[in-house]
Amino acid sequence: MSAEATNPAPSRRRGRPRIDLRRLGRAALLGPGTRDRLPDAISHVAEAHRAHHPDADLAVLHRAYVLAELSHRGQFRKSGEPYITHPLAVTLILAELGAETTTLTASLLHDTVEDTDVTLDQVREEFGEEVCYLVDGVTKLEKVDYGAAAEPETFRKMLVATGNDVRVMSIKLADRLHNMRTLGVMRPEKQARIAKVTRDVLIPLAERLGVQALKTELEDLVFAILHPAEYENTRALIAGNATAGDALAVIADDVRAVLRDARIPADVLVRPRHFVSVHRVRLKRGDLRGTDFGRLLVLVQDDADCYGVLGELHTCFTPVISEFKDFIAAPKFNLYQSLHTAVAAPDGAVAEVLIRTHQMHKVAEAGVVALGNPYAAPADTADCPGDDGERTDPTRPGWLSRLLAWQQATPDPDTFWSSLRADLAQDGEITVFRPDGGTLALPAGATCVDAAYAQYGEAAHTCVGARVNGRLAALGTVLNDGDTVQPLLARGEPGTDEHRTTTAGPDTPAGPDTPAGPDTPAGPDTPAGPDTPARPGPAHPDPVPRGAVQPDPASGPSPDWLEHARTPAARIAITGWLAAHPDGVRVPAAAPRRRTTTMSADLPATRHSAADAVVADLPDAPVRLARCCTPVPPDAVTGFRVRGGNVTVHRVGCPAVRSMEAAGRVPVGVRWGEAAECRVTLVAESFGRPRLLADLTEAIATAGAAIVSATVEPPSEQRVRHTYTLQLTDAAELPALMRAMRDVPGVYDVTRAQHPAAAPGC
């Protein structure tokens, strides 16, 4: 949510006027006016800084100003102003946002190394390592060295530096804001080029860092350059509704009275919308009323008062329920917290209301800038760095970690530049959970493909599917905030025992050429199916787990995966694999067949009946094994007499046993004899792929089992069910046989058959 108005800081001394940068920017946009040069800019910086940090040491700021003024002396901007006015204006912007002294020192010096004879070593010697790092982070790369790649490589350098210290990007954003304010002296084509980069890269970065005070003014300045006609219409609309704030002022008075009666101390402010916000509202609602040109902002002391204000407003006014959002209980990924609601006045006018604490408002306006120095350790831990000896940035969000990860895989500056813009075009972020309790931060609209690459890196090339919230899902399934995701990777190299799983939705095909499934062994009596939650293997925090599968033409991504990948990391990895394996793309599976395929084979004449392995308490009664559960030694079994005097043997847990007991049938005691030969029915669940049937039958034959019959059901959502009736020479071979079938690429589960209960008269 944008922040269009500024609330006076509670700690500000009375009687001292506040330099409202946003008001100055708004006045400049509304029309020409006299902009007096600041009489003593460094004193304004010091005054603004002391308002947020009363105990700040200003000596270092004065030293930085002296060095900057001396080094830039004789240099002028294209507007004709002395160049020193630029670093001073950038520093003043940051000081008004509440930046700490180190950031202001670096902002005063941010162009010295780039445009003067001052060196980084001099900055380091005079001001320390932190200031040197910040100055180096915002210093542009020379075009003479990088040519056309200078701009993208400069942004790559800044982003990498921001990964270690977010204050680098704070200085860059303030630098771009002042440059945009003074862009009118440039040629129109250069204005458009700079405005497009600002729109595609800097504004999204300001949004993600939560620096709304900079983001909204940048939006207005870009709007004026890239869309002059729409801007002029919006400007005329705002100018023609100069009294529109009166309608909100009346509602604000009513809100103050309600909160005063409820004894909730609060400041109620009218916040005018900025130009882009008014333009968007007009596109959404058509004709605008007076209350559409602004919002009400209610500031309170603590979180509980926020909900107290919300209750009073919904009690005393008519709430517009569809407009309610709670960003306090669920903050946005850019640190933003607030309650949003809307209430209707008696005349039908609707006023949007933002409710937040003073601290929330400070963060909403300044984002990471308001957090001060993220590396300043508490006094009792100042001498105790992290376990790895490196400082940790608590403000480093998930999107920045993802960006830093994928940029390493894009040495080509053009690919980096296009991928960066595509990544920053994602408007939201979601958090999904891993089965081991860890989390993954992904952009809104991410799929299981993105989750797999975010968790496992290039090892995700062997991903065969996923489980989302415990249910088997396809790779293209779009994830929602709060989902539990478990990517399923193929078996690792020989000798490894790494087993992976992921989750996806059943509505999106996983790709017909996915090669393998999880190899977590299931017990011979454990039923499983597509909806049975997978048993996750050992969790590994590393991006690429130990024993991860090495990509090869037989197990790699399909071109279809690019349709599901939303993150640059996934797209870059998939594109790289496909480029390295031009002949390794697997052939799509054939269209689903309408008929079930069945094959059978006669057993050799030397084999004995499996019923010979069972002895009944009725010695003369013929015995046969039930086909519904195909019991084998050492299963616990029971029997029932059926028509003709035969005894049918069932596993104790067979549904048919419960049906016959419910019908009053008396069980017959049975037990296994000495014969070890048996017949069993197994069900193999798998992802569809070419040669799957051949590989399964080969695994069965290698295990020494004879196939009595086999049934392959038509594919459903790219999943295939194979049912085999097998003859084993020794029942003890069954667990090894099931493991061998699970090891076949594409097979994710093998279980004993569990058919519906037969009728009591079977």
mmCIF file with all atom_site columns, all heavy atoms in Angstrom, residues 113-135:
data_model
loop_
_atom_site.group_PDB
_atom_site.id
_atom_site.type_symbol
_atom_site.label_atom_id
_atom_site.label_alt_id
_atom_site.label_comp_id
_atom_site.label_asym_id
_atom_site.label_entity_id
_atom_site.label_seq_id
_atom_site.pdbx_PDB_ins_code
_atom_site.Cartn_x
_atom_site.Cartn_y
_atom_site.Cartn_z
_atom_site.occupancy
_atom_site.B_iso_or_equiv
_atom_site.pdbx_formal_charge
_atom_site.auth_seq_id
_atom_site.auth_comp_id
_atom_site.auth_asym_id
_atom_site.auth_atom_id
_atom_site.pdbx_PDB_model_num
ATOM 1   N N   . VAL A 1 113 ? 34.124 8.587  -5.354  1.00 0.00 ? 113 VAL A N   1
ATOM 2   C CA  . VAL A 1 113 ? 35.018 7.606  -5.979  1.00 0.00 ? 113 VAL A CA  1
ATOM 3   C C   . VAL A 1 113 ? 34.728 7.498  -7.473  1.00 0.00 ? 113 VAL A C   1
ATOM 4   O O   . VAL A 1 113 ? 35.632 7.292  -8.289  1.00 0.00 ? 113 VAL A O   1
ATOM 5   C CB  . VAL A 1 113 ? 34.865 6.237  -5.284  1.00 0.00 ? 113 VAL A CB  1
ATOM 6   C CG1 . VAL A 1 113 ? 35.669 5.169  -6.001  1.00 0.00 ? 113 VAL A CG1 1
ATOM 7   C CG2 . VAL A 1 113 ? 35.298 6.345  -3.826  1.00 0.00 ? 113 VAL A CG2 1
ATOM 8   N N   . GLU A 1 114 ? 33.467 7.666  -7.861  1.00 0.00 ? 114 GLU A N   1
ATOM 9   C CA  . GLU A 1 114 ? 33.067 7.523  -9.264  1.00 0.00 ? 114 GLU A CA  1
ATOM 10  C C   . GLU A 1 114 ? 33.475 8.729  -10.106 1.00 0.00 ? 114 GLU A C   1
ATOM 11  O O   . GLU A 1 114 ? 33.892 8.565  -11.255 1.00 0.00 ? 114 GLU A O   1
ATOM 12  C CB  . GLU A 1 114 ? 31.550 7.323  -9.328  1.00 0.00 ? 114 GLU A CB  1
ATOM 13  C CG  . GLU A 1 114 ? 30.987 7.155  -10.725 1.00 0.00 ? 114 GLU A CG  1
ATOM 14  C CD  . GLU A 1 114 ? 29.484 6.962  -10.696 1.00 0.00 ? 114 GLU A CD  1
ATOM 15  O OE1 . GLU A 1 114 ? 28.978 6.376  -9.714  1.00 0.00 ? 114 GLU A OE1 1
ATOM 16  O OE2 . GLU A 1 114 ? 28.813 7.404  -11.648 1.00 0.00 ? 114 GLU A OE2 1
ATOM 17  N N   . ASP A 1 115 ? 33.360 9.943  -9.533  1.00 0.00 ? 115 ASP A N   1
ATOM 18  C CA  . ASP A 1 115 ? 33.507 11.156 -10.343 1.00 0.00 ? 115 ASP A CA  1
ATOM 19  C C   . ASP A 1 115 ? 34.693 12.035 -9.963  1.00 0.00 ? 115 ASP A C   1
ATOM 20  O O   . ASP A 1 115 ? 34.899 13.081 -10.584 1.00 0.00 ? 115 ASP A O   1
ATOM 21  C CB  . ASP A 1 115 ? 32.231 12.006 -10.249 1.00 0.00 ? 115 ASP A CB  1
ATOM 22  C CG  . ASP A 1 115 ? 31.020 11.293 -10.831 1.00 0.00 ? 115 ASP A CG  1
ATOM 23  O OD1 . ASP A 1 115 ? 31.210 10.477 -11.747 1.00 0.00 ? 115 ASP A OD1 1
ATOM 24  O OD2 . ASP A 1 115 ? 29.898 11.545 -10.359 1.00 0.00 ? 115 ASP A OD2 1
ATOM 25  N N   . THR A 1 116 ? 35.451 11.675 -8.931  1.00 0.00 ? 116 THR A N   1
ATOM 26  C CA  . THR A 1 116 ? 36.573 12.514 -8.505  1.00 0.00 ? 116 THR A CA  1
ATOM 27  C C   . THR A 1 116 ? 37.822 11.653 -8.323  1.00 0.00 ? 116 THR A C   1
ATOM 28  O O   . THR A 1 116 ? 37.807 10.446 -8.592  1.00 0.00 ? 116 THR A O   1
ATOM 29  C CB  . THR A 1 116 ? 36.247 13.249 -7.191  1.00 0.00 ? 116 THR A CB  1
ATOM 30  O OG1 . THR A 1 116 ? 36.286 12.324 -6.096  1.00 0.00 ? 116 THR A OG1 1
ATOM 31  C CG2 . THR A 1 116 ? 34.878 13.915 -7.244  1.00 0.00 ? 116 THR A CG2 1
ATOM 32  N N   . ASP A 1 117 ? 38.874 12.263 -7.805  1.00 0.00 ? 117 ASP A N   1
ATOM 33  C CA  . ASP A 1 117 ? 40.137 11.548 -7.600  1.00 0.00 ? 117 ASP A CA  1
ATOM 34  C C   . ASP A 1 117 ? 40.191 10.813 -6.263  1.00 0.00 ? 117 ASP A C   1
ATOM 35  O O   . ASP A 1 117 ? 41.201 10.171 -5.953  1.00 0.00 ? 117 ASP A O   1
ATOM 36  C CB  . ASP A 1 117 ? 41.309 12.535 -7.670  1.00 0.00 ? 117 ASP A CB  1
ATOM 37  C CG  . ASP A 1 117 ? 41.478 13.124 -9.069  1.00 0.00 ? 117 ASP A CG  1
ATOM 38  O OD1 . ASP A 1 117 ? 41.093 12.428 -10.042 1.00 0.00 ? 117 ASP A OD1 1
ATOM 39  O OD2 . ASP A 1 117 ? 41.971 14.260 -9.188  1.00 0.00 ? 117 ASP A OD2 1
ATOM 40  N N   . VAL A 1 118 ? 39.135 10.899 -5.465  1.00 0.00 ? 118 VAL A N   1
ATOM 41  C CA  . VAL A 1 118 ? 39.115 10.185 -4.185  1.00 0.00 ? 118 VAL A CA  1
ATOM 42  C C   . VAL A 1 118 ? 39.065 8.680  -4.452  1.00 0.00 ? 118 VAL A C   1
ATOM 43  O O   . VAL A 1 118 ? 38.340 8.207  -5.339  1.00 0.00 ? 118 VAL A O   1
ATOM 44  C CB  . VAL A 1 118 ? 37.899 10.620 -3.345  1.00 0.00 ? 118 VAL A CB  1
ATOM 45  C CG1 . VAL A 1 118 ? 37.809 9.811  -2.055  1.00 0.00 ? 118 VAL A CG1 1
ATOM 46  C CG2 . VAL A 1 118 ? 37.992 12.104 -3.022  1.00 0.00 ? 118 VAL A CG2 1
ATOM 47  N N   . THR A 1 119 ? 39.833 7.910  -3.686  1.00 0.00 ? 119 THR A N   1
ATOM 48  C CA  . THR A 1 119 ? 39.880 6.456  -3.861  1.00 0.00 ? 119 THR A CA  1
ATOM 49  C C   . THR A 1 119 ? 39.165 5.762  -2.706  1.00 0.00 ? 119 THR A C   1
ATOM 50  O O   . THR A 1 119 ? 38.931 6.360  -1.647  1.00 0.00 ? 119 THR A O   1
ATOM 51  C CB  . THR A 1 119 ? 41.329 5.961  -3.921  1.00 0.00 ? 119 THR A CB  1
ATOM 52  O OG1 . THR A 1 119 ? 41.954 6.196  -2.648  1.00 0.00 ? 119 THR A OG1 1
ATOM 53  C CG2 . THR A 1 119 ? 42.102 6.679  -5.019  1.00 0.00 ? 119 THR A CG2 1
ATOM 54  N N   . LEU A 1 120 ? 38.834 4.497  -2.929  1.00 0.00 ? 120 LEU A N   1
ATOM 55  C CA  . LEU A 1 120 ? 38.199 3.707  -1.876  1.00 0.00 ? 120 LEU A CA  1
ATOM 56  C C   . LEU A 1 120 ? 39.120 3.553  -0.672  1.00 0.00 ? 120 LEU A C   1
ATOM 57  O O   . LEU A 1 120 ? 38.648 3.512  0.473   1.00 0.00 ? 120 LEU A O   1
ATOM 58  C CB  . LEU A 1 120 ? 37.802 2.329  -2.417  1.00 0.00 ? 120 LEU A CB  1
ATOM 59  C CG  . LEU A 1 120 ? 36.559 2.273  -3.315  1.00 0.00 ? 120 LEU A CG  1
ATOM 60  C CD1 . LEU A 1 120 ? 36.377 0.878  -3.889  1.00 0.00 ? 120 LEU A CD1 1
ATOM 61  C CD2 . LEU A 1 120 ? 35.310 2.678  -2.520  1.00 0.00 ? 120 LEU A CD2 1
ATOM 62  N N   . ASP A 1 121 ? 40.407 3.446  -0.931  1.00 0.00 ? 121 ASP A N   1
ATOM 63  C CA  . ASP A 1 121 ? 41.345 3.328  0.193   1.00 0.00 ? 121 ASP A CA  1
ATOM 64  C C   . ASP A 1 121 ? 41.308 4.573  1.071   1.00 0.00 ? 121 ASP A C   1
ATOM 65  O O   . ASP A 1 121 ? 41.384 4.477  2.306   1.00 0.00 ? 121 ASP A O   1
ATOM 66  C CB  . ASP A 1 121 ? 42.762 3.099  -0.340  1.00 0.00 ? 121 ASP A CB  1
ATOM 67  C CG  . ASP A 1 121 ? 42.932 1.718  -0.949  1.00 0.00 ? 121 ASP A CG  1
ATOM 68  O OD1 . ASP A 1 121 ? 42.144 0.820  -0.563  1.00 0.00 ? 121 ASP A OD1 1
ATOM 69  O OD2 . ASP A 1 121 ? 43.819 1.545  -1.792  1.00 0.00 ? 121 ASP A OD2 1
ATOM 70  N N   . GLN A 1 122 ? 41.169 5.736  0.458   1.00 0.00 ? 122 GLN A N   1
ATOM 71  C CA  . GLN A 1 122 ? 41.072 6.958  1.242   1.00 0.00 ? 122 GLN A CA  1
ATOM 72  C C   . GLN A 1 122 ? 39.788 6.985  2.069   1.00 0.00 ? 122 GLN A C   1
ATOM 73  O O   . GLN A 1 122 ? 39.793 7.390  3.232   1.00 0.00 ? 122 GLN A O   1
ATOM 74  C CB  . GLN A 1 122 ? 41.124 8.181  0.312   1.00 0.00 ? 122 GLN A CB  1
ATOM 75  C CG  . GLN A 1 122 ? 42.485 8.437  -0.305  1.00 0.00 ? 122 GLN A CG  1
ATOM 76  C CD  . GLN A 1 122 ? 42.440 9.593  -1.285  1.00 0.00 ? 122 GLN A CD  1
ATOM 77  O OE1 . GLN A 1 122 ? 41.765 9.526  -2.311  1.00 0.00 ? 122 GLN A OE1 1
ATOM 78  N NE2 . GLN A 1 122 ? 43.157 10.662 -0.975  1.00 0.00 ? 122 GLN A NE2 1
ATOM 79  N N   . VAL A 1 123 ? 38.691 6.556  1.454   1.00 0.00 ? 123 VAL A N   1
ATOM 80  C CA  . VAL A 1 123 ? 37.418 6.510  2.181   1.00 0.00 ? 123 VAL A CA  1
ATOM 81  C C   . VAL A 1 123 ? 37.518 5.531  3.340   1.00 0.00 ? 123 VAL A C   1
ATOM 82  O O   . VAL A 1 123 ? 37.058 5.807  4.456   1.00 0.00 ? 123 VAL A O   1
ATOM 83  C CB  . VAL A 1 123 ? 36.268 6.126  1.228   1.00 0.00 ? 123 VAL A CB  1
ATOM 84  C CG1 . VAL A 1 123 ? 34.973 5.922  2.012   1.00 0.00 ? 123 VAL A CG1 1
ATOM 85  C CG2 . VAL A 1 123 ? 36.083 7.186  0.154   1.00 0.00 ? 123 VAL A CG2 1
ATOM 86  N N   . ARG A 1 124 ? 38.124 4.367  3.088   1.00 0.00 ? 124 ARG A N   1
ATOM 87  C CA  . ARG A 1 124 ? 38.257 3.361  4.142   1.00 0.00 ? 124 ARG A CA  1
ATOM 88  C C   . ARG A 1 124 ? 39.123 3.885  5.293   1.00 0.00 ? 124 ARG A C   1
ATOM 89  O O   . ARG A 1 124 ? 38.783 3.700  6.467   1.00 0.00 ? 124 ARG A O   1
ATOM 90  C CB  . ARG A 1 124 ? 38.868 2.082  3.573   1.00 0.00 ? 124 ARG A CB  1
ATOM 91  C CG  . ARG A 1 124 ? 39.015 0.958  4.601   1.00 0.00 ? 124 ARG A CG  1
ATOM 92  C CD  . ARG A 1 124 ? 39.698 -0.261 4.019   1.00 0.00 ? 124 ARG A CD  1
ATOM 93  N NE  . ARG A 1 124 ? 38.898 -0.875 2.968   1.00 0.00 ? 124 ARG A NE  1
ATOM 94  C CZ  . ARG A 1 124 ? 39.180 -0.795 1.665   1.00 0.00 ? 124 ARG A CZ  1
ATOM 95  N NH1 . ARG A 1 124 ? 40.257 -0.110 1.250   1.00 0.00 ? 124 ARG A NH1 1
ATOM 96  N NH2 . ARG A 1 124 ? 38.407 -1.378 0.773   1.00 0.00 ? 124 ARG A NH2 1
ATOM 97  N N   . GLU A 1 125 ? 40.214 4.542  4.965   1.00 0.00 ? 125 GLU A N   1
ATOM 98  C CA  . GLU A 1 125 ? 41.123 5.044  5.996   1.00 0.00 ? 125 GLU A CA  1
ATOM 99  C C   . GLU A 1 125 ? 40.472 6.144  6.825   1.00 0.00 ? 125 GLU A C   1
ATOM 100 O O   . GLU A 1 125 ? 40.668 6.224  8.041   1.00 0.00 ? 125 GLU A O   1
ATOM 101 C CB  . GLU A 1 125 ? 42.399 5.554  5.338   1.00 0.00 ? 125 GLU A CB  1
ATOM 102 C CG  . GLU A 1 125 ? 43.440 6.082  6.326   1.00 0.00 ? 125 GLU A CG  1
ATOM 103 C CD  . GLU A 1 125 ? 44.696 6.561  5.637   1.00 0.00 ? 125 GLU A CD  1
ATOM 104 O OE1 . GLU A 1 125 ? 44.805 6.384  4.401   1.00 0.00 ? 125 GLU A OE1 1
ATOM 105 O OE2 . GLU A 1 125 ? 45.565 7.113  6.322   1.00 0.00 ? 125 GLU A OE2 1
ATOM 106 N N   . GLU A 1 126 ? 39.672 6.985  6.179   1.00 0.00 ? 126 GLU A N   1
ATOM 107 C CA  . GLU A 1 126 ? 39.102 8.139  6.865   1.00 0.00 ? 126 GLU A CA  1
ATOM 108 C C   . GLU A 1 126 ? 37.799 7.816  7.593   1.00 0.00 ? 126 GLU A C   1
ATOM 109 O O   . GLU A 1 126 ? 37.547 8.337  8.685   1.00 0.00 ? 126 GLU A O   1
ATOM 110 C CB  . GLU A 1 126 ? 38.850 9.263  5.842   1.00 0.00 ? 126 GLU A CB  1
ATOM 111 C CG  . GLU A 1 126 ? 38.296 10.545 6.423   1.00 0.00 ? 126 GLU A CG  1
ATOM 112 C CD  . GLU A 1 126 ? 39.304 11.291 7.279   1.00 0.00 ? 126 GLU A CD  1
ATOM 113 O OE1 . GLU A 1 126 ? 40.519 11.044 7.116   1.00 0.00 ? 126 GLU A OE1 1
ATOM 114 O OE2 . GLU A 1 126 ? 38.882 12.098 8.118   1.00 0.00 ? 126 GLU A OE2 1
ATOM 115 N N   . PHE A 1 127 ? 36.964 6.900  7.009   1.00 0.00 ? 127 PHE A N   1
ATOM 116 C CA  . PHE A 1 127 ? 35.619 6.699  7.556   1.00 0.00 ? 127 PHE A CA  1
ATOM 117 C C   . PHE A 1 127 ? 35.311 5.251  7.936   1.00 0.00 ? 127 PHE A C   1
ATOM 118 O O   . PHE A 1 127 ? 34.229 4.981  8.453   1.00 0.00 ? 127 PHE A O   1
ATOM 119 C CB  . PHE A 1 127 ? 34.568 7.185  6.545   1.00 0.00 ? 127 PHE A CB  1
ATOM 120 C CG  . PHE A 1 127 ? 34.680 8.642  6.221   1.00 0.00 ? 127 PHE A CG  1
ATOM 121 C CD1 . PHE A 1 127 ? 35.333 9.064  5.075   1.00 0.00 ? 127 PHE A CD1 1
ATOM 122 C CD2 . PHE A 1 127 ? 34.159 9.601  7.078   1.00 0.00 ? 127 PHE A CD2 1
ATOM 123 C CE1 . PHE A 1 127 ? 35.450 10.410 4.770   1.00 0.00 ? 127 PHE A CE1 1
ATOM 124 C CE2 . PHE A 1 127 ? 34.268 10.948 6.787   1.00 0.00 ? 127 PHE A CE2 1
ATOM 125 C CZ  . PHE A 1 127 ? 34.921 11.359 5.633   1.00 0.00 ? 127 PHE A CZ  1
ATOM 126 N N   . GLY A 1 128 ? 36.222 4.335  7.677   1.00 0.00 ? 128 GLY A N   1
ATOM 127 C CA  . GLY A 1 128 ? 36.001 2.968  8.115   1.00 0.00 ? 128 GLY A CA  1
ATOM 128 C C   . GLY A 1 128 ? 35.498 2.043  7.024   1.00 0.00 ? 128 GLY A C   1
ATOM 129 O O   . GLY A 1 128 ? 35.134 2.466  5.922   1.00 0.00 ? 128 GLY A O   1
ATOM 130 N N   . GLU A 1 129 ? 35.465 0.752  7.355   1.00 0.00 ? 129 GLU A N   1
ATOM 131 C CA  . GLU A 1 129 ? 35.135 -0.282 6.377   1.00 0.00 ? 129 GLU A CA  1
ATOM 132 C C   . GLU A 1 129 ? 33.684 -0.229 5.923   1.00 0.00 ? 129 GLU A C   1
ATOM 133 O O   . GLU A 1 129 ? 33.367 -0.438 4.743   1.00 0.00 ? 129 GLU A O   1
ATOM 134 C CB  . GLU A 1 129 ? 35.444 -1.663 6.968   1.00 0.00 ? 129 GLU A CB  1
ATOM 135 C CG  . GLU A 1 129 ? 35.299 -2.815 5.981   1.00 0.00 ? 129 GLU A CG  1
ATOM 136 C CD  . GLU A 1 129 ? 36.307 -2.699 4.845   1.00 0.00 ? 129 GLU A CD  1
ATOM 137 O OE1 . GLU A 1 129 ? 37.470 -2.327 5.114   1.00 0.00 ? 129 GLU A OE1 1
ATOM 138 O OE2 . GLU A 1 129 ? 35.924 -2.971 3.689   1.00 0.00 ? 129 GLU A OE2 1
ATOM 139 N N   . GLU A 1 130 ? 32.749 0.051  6.852   1.00 0.00 ? 130 GLU A N   1
ATOM 140 C CA  . GLU A 1 130 ? 31.333 0.049  6.480   1.00 0.00 ? 130 GLU A CA  1
ATOM 141 C C   . GLU A 1 130 ? 31.017 1.144  5.478   1.00 0.00 ? 130 GLU A C   1
ATOM 142 O O   . GLU A 1 130 ? 30.331 0.901  4.478   1.00 0.00 ? 130 GLU A O   1
ATOM 143 C CB  . GLU A 1 130 ? 30.455 0.203  7.724   1.00 0.00 ? 130 GLU A CB  1
ATOM 144 C CG  . GLU A 1 130 ? 30.228 -1.096 8.481   1.00 0.00 ? 130 GLU A CG  1
ATOM 145 C CD  . GLU A 1 130 ? 29.113 -0.962 9.494   1.00 0.00 ? 130 GLU A CD  1
ATOM 146 O OE1 . GLU A 1 130 ? 29.006 0.112  10.106  1.00 0.00 ? 130 GLU A OE1 1
ATOM 147 O OE2 . GLU A 1 130 ? 28.353 -1.930 9.662   1.00 0.00 ? 130 GLU A OE2 1
ATOM 148 N N   . VAL A 1 131 ? 31.483 2.353  5.723   1.00 0.00 ? 131 VAL A N   1
ATOM 149 C CA  . VAL A 1 131 ? 31.242 3.448  4.786   1.00 0.00 ? 131 VAL A CA  1
ATOM 150 C C   . VAL A 1 131 ? 31.892 3.133  3.438   1.00 0.00 ? 131 VAL A C   1
ATOM 151 O O   . VAL A 1 131 ? 31.298 3.364  2.374   1.00 0.00 ? 131 VAL A O   1
ATOM 152 C CB  . VAL A 1 131 ? 31.779 4.775  5.352   1.00 0.00 ? 131 VAL A CB  1
ATOM 153 C CG1 . VAL A 1 131 ? 31.700 5.881  4.311   1.00 0.00 ? 131 VAL A CG1 1
ATOM 154 C CG2 . VAL A 1 131 ? 30.998 5.176  6.592   1.00 0.00 ? 131 VAL A CG2 1
ATOM 155 N N   . CYS A 1 132 ? 33.081 2.570  3.469   1.00 0.00 ? 132 CYS A N   1
ATOM 156 C CA  . CYS A 1 132 ? 33.762 2.194  2.230   1.00 0.00 ? 132 CYS A CA  1
ATOM 157 C C   . CYS A 1 132 ? 32.943 1.173  1.448   1.00 0.00 ? 132 CYS A C   1
ATOM 158 O O   . CYS A 1 132 ? 32.806 1.271  0.224   1.00 0.00 ? 132 CYS A O   1
ATOM 159 C CB  . CYS A 1 132 ? 35.149 1.647  2.548   1.00 0.00 ? 132 CYS A CB  1
ATOM 160 S SG  . CYS A 1 132 ? 36.076 1.083  1.106   1.00 0.00 ? 132 CYS A SG  1
ATOM 161 N N   . TYR A 1 133 ? 32.375 0.192  2.142   1.00 0.00 ? 133 TYR A N   1
ATOM 162 C CA  . TYR A 1 133 ? 31.576 -0.839 1.467   1.00 0.00 ? 133 TYR A CA  1
ATOM 163 C C   . TYR A 1 133 ? 30.344 -0.220 0.811   1.00 0.00 ? 133 TYR A C   1
ATOM 164 O O   . TYR A 1 133 ? 29.987 -0.568 -0.327  1.00 0.00 ? 133 TYR A O   1
ATOM 165 C CB  . TYR A 1 133 ? 31.151 -1.903 2.472   1.00 0.00 ? 133 TYR A CB  1
ATOM 166 C CG  . TYR A 1 133 ? 30.401 -3.059 1.847   1.00 0.00 ? 133 TYR A CG  1
ATOM 167 C CD1 . TYR A 1 133 ? 31.083 -4.134 1.293   1.00 0.00 ? 133 TYR A CD1 1
ATOM 168 C CD2 . TYR A 1 133 ? 29.013 -3.071 1.805   1.00 0.00 ? 133 TYR A CD2 1
ATOM 169 C CE1 . TYR A 1 133 ? 30.406 -5.188 0.707   1.00 0.00 ? 133 TYR A CE1 1
ATOM 170 C CE2 . TYR A 1 133 ? 28.321 -4.117 1.221   1.00 0.00 ? 133 TYR A CE2 1
ATOM 171 C CZ  . TYR A 1 133 ? 29.026 -5.176 0.678   1.00 0.00 ? 133 TYR A CZ  1
ATOM 172 O OH  . TYR A 1 133 ? 28.340 -6.207 0.093   1.00 0.00 ? 133 TYR A OH  1
ATOM 173 N N   . LEU A 1 134 ? 29.668 0.697  1.514   1.00 0.00 ? 134 LEU A N   1
ATOM 174 C CA  . LEU A 1 134 ? 28.467 1.321  0.963   1.00 0.00 ? 134 LEU A CA  1
ATOM 175 C C   . LEU A 1 134 ? 28.802 2.175  -0.253  1.00 0.00 ? 134 LEU A C   1
ATOM 176 O O   . LEU A 1 134 ? 28.083 2.145  -1.266  1.00 0.00 ? 134 LEU A O   1
ATOM 177 C CB  . LEU A 1 134 ? 27.772 2.164  2.031   1.00 0.00 ? 134 LEU A CB  1
ATOM 178 C CG  . LEU A 1 134 ? 27.257 1.414  3.267   1.00 0.00 ? 134 LEU A CG  1
ATOM 179 C CD1 . LEU A 1 134 ? 26.636 2.388  4.263   1.00 0.00 ? 134 LEU A CD1 1
ATOM 180 C CD2 . LEU A 1 134 ? 26.236 0.366  2.869   1.00 0.00 ? 134 LEU A CD2 1
ATOM 181 N N   . VAL A 1 135 ? 29.889 2.939  -0.177  1.00 0.00 ? 135 VAL A N   1
ATOM 182 C CA  . VAL A 1 135 ? 30.281 3.772  -1.309  1.00 0.00 ? 135 VAL A CA  1
ATOM 183 C C   . VAL A 1 135 ? 30.651 2.906  -2.507  1.00 0.00 ? 135 VAL A C   1
ATOM 184 O O   . VAL A 1 135 ? 30.247 3.182  -3.645  1.00 0.00 ? 135 VAL A O   1
ATOM 185 C CB  . VAL A 1 135 ? 31.455 4.694  -0.915  1.00 0.00 ? 135 VAL A CB  1
ATOM 186 C CG1 . VAL A 1 135 ? 32.005 5.426  -2.136  1.00 0.00 ? 135 VAL A CG1 1
ATOM 187 C CG2 . VAL A 1 135 ? 31.010 5.695  0.145   1.00 0.00 ? 135 VAL A CG2 1
#
